[in-house]
Amino acid sequence: MFESADLSHHVPKAVFKREETKLREALLDAQFDLAAQRRFAVLILIAGVEGAGKGETVNLLNEWMDPRHIGVRAFFQPTDEERERPDAWRFWRALPPKGRIGVFFGAWHTMPMVRRALGETTEAEFAQAIGDIRRLETMLCDEGVLLLKYWFHMSKKQQKQRLKALEKNEATRWRVTEHEWTFHEMYDAFVGVSEPFLRETSTGEAPWIVIPGADPRFRALTFGRHLVAALRERLDEKPAKQVPDKTPPLLAPADKVTVLSALDLDQPLDRDDYDKELETLQGRLNALVRDPRFKEMAVVAVFEGNDSAGKGGAIRRVTGALDARSYQTVSIAAPSEEERAQPYLWRFWRHLPGRGQVAIFDRSWYGRVLVERVEGFCAEADWMRAYGEINDFEEAMVRHRVVVVKFWLAISKAEQLKRFKQREKVAFKRFKITPEDWRNREKWDRYETAICDMVDRTSTALAPWTLVEANNKLFARIKVLRTFCEAIEAAMETIGKKRKKKG
């Protein structure tokens, strides 16, 4: 992939000066149109060999365009806060909103290549990292992000000449350190890893653009021309009014037996037994979060369910066992303007807990395959692809020692009606019932279909759904607490086994 980049390219100074003026004007026009339209975000990934002009090119970009609307982020070794969360968390937090340009140095591609070149990871681990990156980038492109990936390249001989020239000049000597020469010695190993990496991660929606880096003027014009062409192509296209339906239908089972219809929603548990079990389980949960092993993990709990199924009551029984400093409850409603300017999962990624912490989501990312699907708030293509994106998201958490527990609290249609009417009668409960609840009830069958599809497609070995029979609120609360404790205990057992192995 690097044959053309290894050639001796050159642009005369006079040609560069003439072309630069036109290029700057075109880039500024595109940037202002991007900010005015606010239809999509632009994310530029900068990568390549040492000394190929990555930093100089981004400095030039800030000079050519309005730097107030460009966010440049360089990612070095992760901080302590970042290490406590999945690898992609720090990149998600820095994504540019619609209407802005983000530039990432050392993004998600850097560490997998460096670790492989240093022999710190196996071929299988490298292949898994490539798969993760492809899915992440596909998701960003599906969300409308204009993802531009630039690889700045030069031959080993050109790199050596470049480093020596920088070292010779007193004004640029500081830019060449032992780090740059170390990577020069590793050139063959690094390029040997980067070539298959670029090939595997260069896709139709986000191809790698190789920029020859030896000649500064040729490099700058090549980069600038491609950037303005990519911006103009997206800005000038007319957005489709409706995404065509290309997905096959999801059909209900022929015998109408589903994961919900198979539940016995009326589970017995009297008040005396409930009080005893509640005290026991809350004590058990409290002891678990104070266990030293809990400092090596985090918990993400998802609470979903029918309207008035008792999610709030179940959550309160969980938080009643926890120190207020150890948990955060995240209540999900309609997205804000800030959240709508980002990919769908962004508003959930940013709430992920650190080690020794619990995050409780009252409603969650499953809104895309439930409310948004049923109410038509997103296209079918969006909620269909969401199943895979959600599974990837949860797998990333579990791999990073985050315990993911997911509860669906299920009640019958008759029980829901009874609770709705009770809420309307009791003064301090009236806020819990809204016209929207009654509207949702009219779509009971459509929601039930969506729920069953959700469970079938996102209940995985890593993050299974727990279906809670909730006609009896007391039974539901106890089942939630018991499942919560068992999930943490299973994770602690895994940690113990890994310690023994290491020992």
Side-chain angles (χ1 to χ4, degrees):
M1 294 184 70
F2 302 131
E3 282 81 356
S4 293
D6 287 339
L7 300 175
S8 296
H9 297 279
H10 177 67
V11 170
K13 190 173 183 180
V15 173
F16 177 77
K17 282 294 181 186
R18 185 177 66 247
E19 294 299 314
E20 183 188 27
T21 302
K22 293 187 287 186
L23 189 56
R24 290 182 71 162
E25 183 179 349
L27 282 168
L28 274 172
D29 285 344
Q31 186 181 23
F32 293 151
D33 289 346
L34 175 70
Q37 291 184 17
R38 294 184 64 187
R39 287 194 292 113
F40 60 93
V42 179
L43 180 58
I44 300 171
L45 304 188
I46 301 292
V49 301
E50 292 296 327
K54 301 185 291 290
E56 297 98 306
T57 304
V58 174
N59 285 340
L60 199 57
L61 183 66
N62 276 321
E63 182 183 328
W64 284 348
M65 301 176 82
D66 186 343
R68 293 172 300 176
H69 299 290
I70 301 176
V72 179
R73 287 291 303 271
F75 297 93
F76 303 104
Q77 288 295 328
T79 64
D80 290 342
E81 181 188 26
E82 291 166 346
R83 285 192 190 94
E84 290 186 354
R85 293 165 175 85
D87 293 339
W89 181 76
R90 60 182 181 150
F91 306 120
W92 272 91
R93 287 203 308 166
L95 289 177
K98 291 176 182 177
R100 287 181 61 89
I101 298 172
V103 180
F104 283 5
F105 283 100
W108 44 79
H109 51 271
T110 302
M111 290 314 297
M113 281 191 287
V114 171
R115 286 172 183 156
R116 183 64 189 137
L118 291 172
E120 296 175 356
T121 56
T122 64
E123 191 66 40
E125 289 169 331
F126 188 52
Q128 183 179 38
I130 287 174
D132 292 343
I133 288 168
R134 282 180 64 104
R135 289 191 295 275
L136 169 62
E137 293 182 353
T138 296
M139 184 277 300
L140 290 174
C141 292
D142 285 341
E143 287 285 345
V145 175
L146 177 57
L147 181 59
L148 302 174
K149 305 186 302 191
Y150 296 101
W151 180 271
F152 290 77
H153 194 77
M154 55 174 49
S155 68
K156 190 174 185 179
K157 180 182 177 182
Q158 290 170 335
Q159 185 187 56
K160 187 174 183 179
Q161 290 172 344
R162 165 84 167 152
L163 292 176
K164 283 191 170 182
L166 289 171
E167 222 173 27
K168 204 171 183 180
N169 188 331
E170 287 187 11
T172 58
R173 188 175 297 162
W174 60 273
R175 288 164 56 184
V176 182
T177 67
E178 189 177 332
H179 169 86
E180 278 71 32
W181 283 115
T182 299
F183 270 87
H184 175 69
E185 294 301 318
M186 288 176 54
Y187 182 92
D188 293 331
F190 185 67
V191 170
V193 166
S194 60
E195 194 277 335
F197 179 89
L198 263 65
R199 177 164 37 84
E200 292 293 329
T201 59
S202 194
T203 59
E205 62 269 19
W208 280 101
I209 305 301
V210 179
I211 306 289
D215 181 78
R217 292 190 289 270
F218 180 88
R219 178 181 68 220
L221 283 185
T222 304
F223 171 77
R225 284 171 173 171
H226 183 271
L227 176 58
V228 77
L231 285 169
R232 279 269 60 103
E233 181 181 63
R234 177 68 70 87
L235 287 165
D236 295 342
E237 71 181 10
K238 292 182 179 179
K241 290 183 179 178
Q242 187 174 356
V243 179
D245 177 11
K246 296 181 181 179
T247 58
L250 301 178
L251 299 179
D255 60 2
K256 297 186 179 179
V257 176
T258 67
V259 291
L260 290 181
S261 68
L263 292 175
D264 181 0
L265 299 176
D266 294 297
Q267 296 290 330
L269 185 65
D270 62 34
R271 174 65 66 174
D272 289 341
D273 289 339
Y274 166 76
D275 289 339
K276 289 175 187 174
E277 289 211 53
L278 179 65
E279 184 177 357
T280 300
L281 288 169
Q282 285 186 324
R284 181 174 159 190
L285 179 56
N286 185 269
L288 285 169
V289 297
R290 288 187 288 107
D291 188 298
R293 290 171 294 178
F294 192 72
K295 296 295 181 188
E296 300 179 40
M297 66 175 75
V299 176
V300 166
V302 172
F303 284 84
E304 295 279 2
N306 300 113
D307 292 330
S308 77
K311 295 182 296 297
I315 290 170
R316 285 193 295 275
R317 271 63 187 184
V318 171
T319 58
L322 304 175
D323 185 321
R325 294 165 293 187
S326 68
Y327 73 86
Q328 175 191 16
T329 301
V330 185
S331 296
I332 300 301
S336 65
E337 285 296 323
E338 179 190 23
E339 292 166 342
R340 275 194 285 268
Q342 293 283 1
Y344 176 73
L345 287 172
W346 179 84
R347 62 179 177 144
F348 308 108
W349 269 99
R350 62 180 181 158
H351 290 297
L352 293 189
R355 296 278 187 250
Q357 294 287 311
V358 177
I360 297 171
F361 286 85
D362 183 354
R363 300 293 189 190
S364 68
W365 40 93
Y366 285 98
R368 173 135 289 189
V369 297
L370 294 173
V371 176
E372 292 194 21
R373 168 184 172 172
V374 174
E375 303 296 337
F377 294 156
C378 69
E380 181 175 353
D382 292 330
W383 61 258
M384 280 293 287
R385 66 180 167 83
Y387 295 121
E389 293 168 1
I390 286 168
N391 288 336
D392 287 342
F393 173 39
E394 292 175 353
E395 182 182 351
M397 287 192 277
V398 173
R399 270 201 238 152
H400 204 71
R401 295 205 301 269
V402 177
V403 180
V404 180
V405 283
K406 305 185 302 195
F407 300 103
W408 179 268
L409 277 67
I411 57 174
S412 66
K413 196 172 183 180
E415 178 64 22
Q416 187 188 64
L417 180 60
K418 176 182 165 187
R419 293 185 186 183
F420 276 13
K421 288 182 175 179
Q422 285 176 342
R423 287 180 174 184
E424 285 185 327
K425 289 177 184 177
V426 180
F428 64 84
K429 288 187 177 182
R430 282 180 188 164
F431 76 95
K432 292 185 176 183
I433 186 77
T434 68
E436 187 179 347
D437 295 322
W438 287 107
R439 284 196 301 273
N440 290 346
R441 180 175 165 78
E442 292 173 5
K443 299 172 184 174
W444 179 277
D445 292 341
R446 291 172 61 190
Y447 271 103
E448 193 163 89
T449 299
I451 294 158
C452 293
D453 286 340
M454 174 194 75
V455 173
D456 285 342
R457 293 175 179 277
T458 62
S459 192
T460 62
L462 293 174
W465 276 101
T466 298
L467 304 180
V468 182
E469 304 88 338
N471 275 2
N472 182 341
K473 290 182 179 181
L474 305 184
F475 175 87
R477 293 166 186 172
I478 293 302
K479 183 169 182 176
V480 165
L481 274 167
R482 185 179 291 111
T483 304
F484 215 104
C485 292
E486 289 171 354
I488 295 173
E489 287 163 350
M492 286 183 174
E493 190 176 335
T494 301
I495 289 173
K497 286 178 182 176
K498 286 181 179 176
R499 279 180 178 171
K500 282 182 182 178
K501 256 188 177 181
K502 285 182 180 178

